[in-house]
Amino acid sequence: MIYKMVLAAADTTSAAEEVAEVTQDTVEEVSRMTQILQDNIPQIISFAFQVVLALVFFFIGRCLIKWVRKVVRRSFERSKADTGVATFVDSLLKYGLYFLLIFSIAARFGVDTASVAALVASSGVTLGLALQGSLSNFAGGVLILLLKPFEVGDYIVEDTNMKEGTVKEIQIFYTKLSTIDNQTIVIPNGMLTNNSLTNATAKDERRLDLKISVSYEADLREAKSLIEKIVTEDPCVMQDKEILVFVDDLAESAVVIGARAWVRNEEFWPTKWRILEEIKLKLDENGIAIPYPQVTVHMQEKK
């Protein structure tokens, strides 16, 4: 019994010594940290001040960038410059000014600007090789603005992938199109400059080409007369331009009558839909059939 009590007392003494040792180590560690903080308080205060100053400088610079962009946009509006040029310059100005702002903040923190410039130059070569597509798109955007194959507001068709729509924005790397059903198509500028495209609204006037099939049994002269009257009397057809109605083709199951007239670009589709509907109704009223493809099979009886 006495032996057990002695062992318990020894264990208690050992635990107390361990607690005291841990406490002493903790106190020493806290003392060291306190001493380090006290020794570096000026540097910490200086660094914190620089961080706050950099943040203030960044927010002021961002406000200045917004102001500069706003002034440039207003100057473009007053000069009635092309919307695509204004959008492109605004995007380029935004990225360029933010780069200068970050570069200035880095220099304010004591970063060697010569080293940064060398790093940017060497990184530029690497990025140029890695981002050849993006650089091609940037060059394509510049070519679009210089050569003007289309402008904001034009309706274009990219012939390779058959993407089409109204040009809404010409940005640094991409051009945005808006389709008839209000979808947005984003096409890289490099694709638009390296492939052929059709600008449907480059001119104020556009020729309306119609093809109407009538039966071989129908009165051809009457059919042409009806179509010519409808086209001529349409209010959107330009009467000072040539209007033609002619036999375009003798197809397998129909006579194809062609009609050509000129309309203003913005009235092209409504005029086409209206004239086609009116032609169908008039042909039906006069008993002129519009045939559909059909095959006649003759069976020969065996003798």
Side-chain angles (χ1 to χ4, degrees), residues 150-259:
F150 57 84
E151 299 177 355
V152 173
D154 287 346
Y155 190 93
I156 65 172
V157 181
E158 196 272 306
D159 296 334
T160 303
N161 299 305
M162 299 307 296
K163 301 295 184 181
E164 59 181 283
T166 303
V167 180
K168 292 300 181 183
E169 294 182 23
I170 303 175
Q171 297 184 352
I172 295 179
F173 301 109
Y174 300 96
T175 293
K176 291 185 178 181
L177 307 182
S178 178
T179 62
I180 297 176
D181 55 351
N182 203 30
Q183 296 184 14
T184 299
I185 300 177
V186 181
I187 302 179
N189 290 332
M191 182 176 294
L192 293 176
T193 53
N194 293 328
N195 298 323
S196 61
L197 61 87
T198 302
N199 189 339
T201 55
K203 303 295 183 180
D204 295 333
E205 303 163 355
R206 187 173 176 183
R207 194 177 73 181
L208 182 66
D209 288 297
L210 303 175
K211 291 185 179 181
I212 304 97
S213 298
V214 299
S215 171
Y216 272 100
E217 290 75 19
D219 188 333
L220 183 59
R221 291 186 176 87
E222 183 182 3
K224 287 180 59 180
S225 177
L226 289 172
I227 294 172
E228 184 174 5
K229 183 178 179 182
I230 293 171
V231 174
T232 305
E233 293 180 354
D234 190 272
C236 292
V237 172
M238 304 178 70
Q239 302 300 322
D240 56 340
K241 296 286 187 178
E242 185 179 33
I243 299 175
L244 295 175
V245 178
F246 53 91
V247 176
D248 185 73
D249 188 20
L250 299 176
E252 293 182 357
S253 57
V255 178
V256 181
I257 299 176

Side-chain angles (χ1 to χ4, degrees), residues 58-70 97:
F58 175 80
F59 286 112
I60 293 175
R62 189 173 68 171
C63 293
L64 288 175
I65 290 174
K66 290 182 179 179
W67 178 77
V68 170
R69 292 175 61 198
K70 187 176 181 180
L97 291 178

Side-chain angles (χ1 to χ4, degrees), residues 50 104-113 116:
Q50 288 185 356
S104 301
I105 292 175
R108 180 67 182 80
F109 270 91
V111 178
D112 187 8
T113 55
V116 174

